[in-house]
Amino acid sequence: MEPEYLEKELLIRGTEINYLFICKTKLWYFAKGITMEQESDFVDLGKFLHEKSYFGEEKEVQIGTINIDFIKRKNIIEIHEVKKGKSMEKAHEIQALYYLYYLKRYGIEAKAILNYPKLREIKEIILDGREGEVEGAIKEVEKIKSMPNPPKPKKSKICKKCSYYELCWI
Amino acid sequence: MRKKALTLFSDGYLFRKENTLYFENVNGKKPLAIEGIYDIYIYGKVSISSQALHFLAQKGIALHFFNHYGYYDGSFYPRESLHSGDLVVKQAEHYLNPEKRLNLAKLFVIGGAKNIEKNLSKFGVKVKFDDFLEELNDAEKITEVMNIEGRMREEYYKFWDETLPDEFKIIKRTRRPPQNEMNALISFLNSRLYPTIISELYNTQLTPTISYLHEPSERRFSLALDLSEIFKPIIADRIANRLVKQRIIKKEHFRDDLNGVLLNDDGKKIVLRAFNEEMEKSVKHPTLKKNVTKKRLIRLEAYKLIKHLTGQKEYEPLIAWF
């Protein structure tokens, strides 16, 4: 049997798609390997939340460039992402859509669930009809990653909580 | 929790038992809270178990070793965890391009010069280094920049001497061995500052071996030497100045040795305490609009360099406003 190849490999990571809707400067630095996560208390909290929740699931499932928090196998595969709060909801949603889009290219039909354990809420995401949104985001991410210099940062209320705050505003 | 530098001054044994790091000496065994340690400075004769080193590497904690005379010997620099191929390429590009390299080299010296001026004015000497700065502006080679820096530093010590008590005059800067007390004090402080800068660079994606003012072959972490031009005056020199003028450090804290004049153990302890306190002191940052420690200023300088290298913003050296 002929092995199947994807027309074009998707090399973008879920986090990069997510950052597109949070901050383009952060996306550029992150994509170039200039990361700040090692010092962020918020990231520590996220990891803790993740470690202490959802026992018995398949956790941290790495498929190509995407890393899914956990998976449930029901009649349809459910991929789960765990998030702290809803302030970045749009970014969470596009990340989930990207994962579904990614899996679909491997012929895997799935739906995504965003889990907000602190809010005791979940949100279901399905890809149908939203492929265009994902493709637009992919193009945009690729454009930013190909820029020789980082985009100028824009001051916003989320800057203060961002681990890149000092790098951007020094 | 803010992580702090840990200084081990006494002789002893550093080891790991389960998930705890211990230091054992004649006074007994003491557990060390690993999450609160930023880096470790070892002055005593300390044995370390390989398990302790594995643990420190896992936590990304660097260890810096000093010899019997208090001089920096070297570091246990855990396998680097922060990589950015793009940044390494840009760092190298700025080294290989003569114009870009010269520009950065000058900026380090200009920063040093302005901080020296600021120090002198704090010491009560009004002097401007305009001539040096003009010369610097016209310099076309790294060697010229180095030469101007050297002459300016000589001038600095001459003016500084005017304010120092007789028994603590620098007269002439001598290293390894230092010929008098003030030289010994400055050398000891610089020896402590250098690995602090190395630790900060370790926590960024900058490659510490690619430098601009100093040749990358000069020392393993030559980028730390470049940054030390900015920080020696505002950290080491200020502490030295304060310690002798407030008579906290006295003649009795030194000893004559075949290797010149050196701080004795009491002297070293006093200086290290002053250094650690100084690094934890906060100043209000004018552009970030928040308090940052003196130590953090080193990291911020590294960030400014990253921004320069990635074309985000031209590097402007830190000029002390405090």
Side-chain angles (χ1 to χ4, degrees):
Chain A
M1 205 170 86
E2 282 285 302
E4 274 183 57
Y5 291 107
L6 302 171
E7 306 139 38
K8 193 179 158 213
E9 217 184 331
L10 285 173
L11 294 172
I12 291 169
R13 289 178 282 177
T15 312
E16 290 169 342
I17 289 280
N18 177 303
Y19 283 176
L20 179 67
F21 286 82
I22 294 176
C23 171
K24 293 183 169 61
T25 311
K26 185 175 185 169
L27 165 60
W28 191 92
Y29 279 126
F30 180 85
K32 302 292 168 180
I34 298 166
T35 57
M36 298 278 156
E37 273 68 20
Q38 75 276 8
E39 287 190 59
S40 164
D41 289 343
F42 294 110
V43 172
D44 284 349
L45 181 66
K47 277 188 189 146
F48 181 80
L49 211 62
H50 187 53
E51 270 171 32
K52 300 292 169 199
S53 340
Y54 311 105
F55 291 104
E57 314 295 347
E58 283 178 70
K59 289 209 251 186
E60 299 285 343
V61 183
Q62 177 91 41
I63 302 167
T65 56
I66 65 171
N67 191 343
I68 299 161
D69 281 352
F70 68 88
I71 288 181
K72 276 188 189 173
R73 290 159 195 271
K74 296 195 175 166
N75 49 355
I76 180 170
I77 288 174
E78 277 181 8
I79 61 167
H80 288 251
E81 279 295 299
V82 186
K83 302 292 182 189
K84 281 201 304 292
K86 276 193 163 175
S87 59
M88 315 275 185
E89 209 178 352
K90 180 72 197 154
H92 301 158
E93 215 178 294
I94 193 79
Q95 189 180 358
L97 284 171
Y98 178 67
Y99 289 171
L100 296 174
Y101 182 88
Y102 196 100
L103 293 172
K104 194 177 175 184
R105 294 184 53 144
Y106 284 98
I108 300 168
E109 200 71 41
K111 69 175 177 184
I113 314 276
L114 294 172
N115 294 270
Y116 297 95
K118 276 176 77 181
L119 309 172
R120 297 178 189 277
E121 272 182 52
I122 61 161
K123 185 176 182 181
E124 226 182 83
I125 311 275
I126 49 167
L127 181 63
D128 295 346
R130 298 183 73 179
E131 284 87 351
E133 273 180 67
V134 180
E135 281 157 7
I138 290 170
K139 274 209 189 95
E140 186 74 3
V141 169
E142 277 172 351
K143 200 180 94 196
I144 290 166
K145 285 174 73 166
S146 69
M147 288 165 62
N149 306 326
K152 284 256 173 283
K154 288 197 191 89
K155 194 94 158 197
S156 106
K157 63 177 191 295
I158 60 170
C159 287
K160 280 234 153 139
K161 283 190 177 177
C162 178
S163 53
Y164 288 74
Y165 175 80
E166 288 174 333
L167 180 65
C168 280
W169 301 110
I170 182 71
Chain B
M1 179 166 57
R2 187 191 286 160
K3 297 182 179 196
K4 283 186 177 168
L6 171 72
T7 307
L8 297 177
F9 197 80
S10 60
D11 300 349
Y13 178 40
L14 188 67
F15 63 101
R16 171 192 186 169
K17 201 175 163 195
E18 283 158 5
N19 269 334
T20 310
L21 189 68
Y22 289 94
F23 183 61
E24 187 171 13
N25 62 12
V26 287
N27 300 318
K29 193 165 85 176
K30 202 178 148 196
L32 305 167
I34 191 120
E35 300 299 339
I37 301 172
Y38 188 74
D39 51 6
I40 303 179
Y41 296 81
I42 297 183
Y43 284 85
K45 294 187 192 78
V46 174
S47 304
I48 304 172
S49 76
S50 64
Q51 285 310 308
L53 288 177
H54 290 312
F55 198 27
L56 294 167
Q58 187 194 325
K59 299 282 178 188
I61 297 170
L63 276 90
H64 305 293
F65 297 91
F66 298 82
N67 68 14
H68 172 64
Y69 304 108
Y71 293 132
Y72 173 70
D73 258 348
S75 303
F76 170 69
Y77 195 77
R79 181 173 51 82
E80 290 197 72
S81 58
L82 307 175
H83 293 287
S84 167
D86 285 88
L87 193 60
V88 180
V89 169
K90 287 194 160 129
Q91 252 185 279
E93 181 206 337
H94 280 75
Y95 172 77
L96 292 169
N97 179 316
E99 233 170 88
K100 287 181 177 173
R101 181 182 171 188
L102 190 65
N103 175 36
L104 275 172
K106 284 182 184 178
L107 287 168
F108 290 125
V109 176
I110 290 168
K114 302 249 180 184
N115 284 323
I116 281 173
E117 273 182 2
K118 174 88 185 174
N119 271 3
L120 287 174
S121 92
K122 274 177 94 89
F123 304 161
V125 184
K126 281 265 169 283
V127 59
K128 285 273 168 214
F129 284 158
D130 292 347
D131 291 351
F132 286 123
L133 290 170
E134 223 166 276
E135 236 186 293
L136 206 53
N137 198 29
D138 300 335
E140 284 170 5
K141 282 197 218 113
I142 299 287
T143 46
E144 284 174 60
V145 176
M146 278 286 202
N147 178 284
I148 297 163
E149 194 269 335
R151 281 186 286 126
M152 182 186 64
R153 212 160 257 282
E154 268 175 51
E155 284 279 297
Y156 167 50
Y157 293 133
K158 233 186 276 166
F159 285 119
W160 186 4
D161 260 357
E162 289 176 12
T163 75
L164 288 169
D166 280 346
E167 69 271 33
F168 281 108
K169 293 210 186 298
I170 305 160
I171 304 161
K172 186 178 165 35
R173 186 78 180 101
T174 47
R175 301 172 178 84
R176 300 188 180 223
Q179 296 303 329
N180 61 28
E181 285 76 4
M182 201 58 181
N183 272 293
L185 185 55
I186 294 170
S187 286
F188 183 80
L189 278 161
N190 286 342
S191 266
R192 178 65 183 74
L193 177 64
Y194 175 64
T196 300
I197 300 174
I198 293 173
S199 274
E200 288 309 317
L201 291 174
Y202 176 71
N203 282 289
T204 70
Q205 281 81 10
L206 286 166
T207 301
T209 46
I210 303 177
S211 54
Y212 304 98
L213 174 62
H214 298 82
E215 281 299 335
S217 55
E218 190 170 336
R219 241 181 272 171
R220 192 154 135 68
F221 300 125
S222 44
L223 186 58
L225 292 180
D226 284 3
L227 286 180
S228 73
E229 294 297 325
I230 312 283
F231 290 99
K232 275 197 294 196
I234 51 177
I235 305 283
D237 292 352
R238 285 190 186 185
I239 297 173
N241 186 64
R242 191 172 70 235
L243 289 176
V244 300
K245 283 186 186 156
Q246 293 181 359
R247 301 190 186 285
I248 299 166
I249 278 286
K250 301 178 194 125
K251 275 267 181 192
E252 68 205 53
H253 294 123
F254 295 87
R255 62 191 169 87
D256 275 316
D257 193 280
L258 285 174
N259 279 293
V261 178
L262 294 165
L263 280 158
N264 63 22
D265 278 1
D266 282 342
K268 283 184 205 164
K269 272 186 206 168
I270 293 169
V271 178
L272 286 176
R273 195 179 314 128
F275 184 88
N276 288 329
E277 280 170 14
E278 181 70 21
M279 296 313 271
E280 295 301 324
K281 266 187 212 156
S282 291
V283 286
K284 175 101 177 172
H285 198 282
T287 48
L288 292 178
K289 309 251 185 289
K290 64 171 191 173
N291 287 325
V292 294
T293 61
K294 298 268 174 81
K295 182 160 82 182
R296 194 71 183 175
L297 291 175
I298 301 171
R299 178 78 70 89
L300 296 177
E301 212 60 11
Y303 287 166
K304 279 151 72 178
L305 212 50
I306 292 176
K307 292 177 81 167
H308 180 91
L309 297 167
T310 57
Q312 175 78 275
K313 193 178 173 188
E314 289 279 301
Y315 175 63
E316 279 174 44
L318 165 75
I319 317 290
W321 64 89
F322 43 85

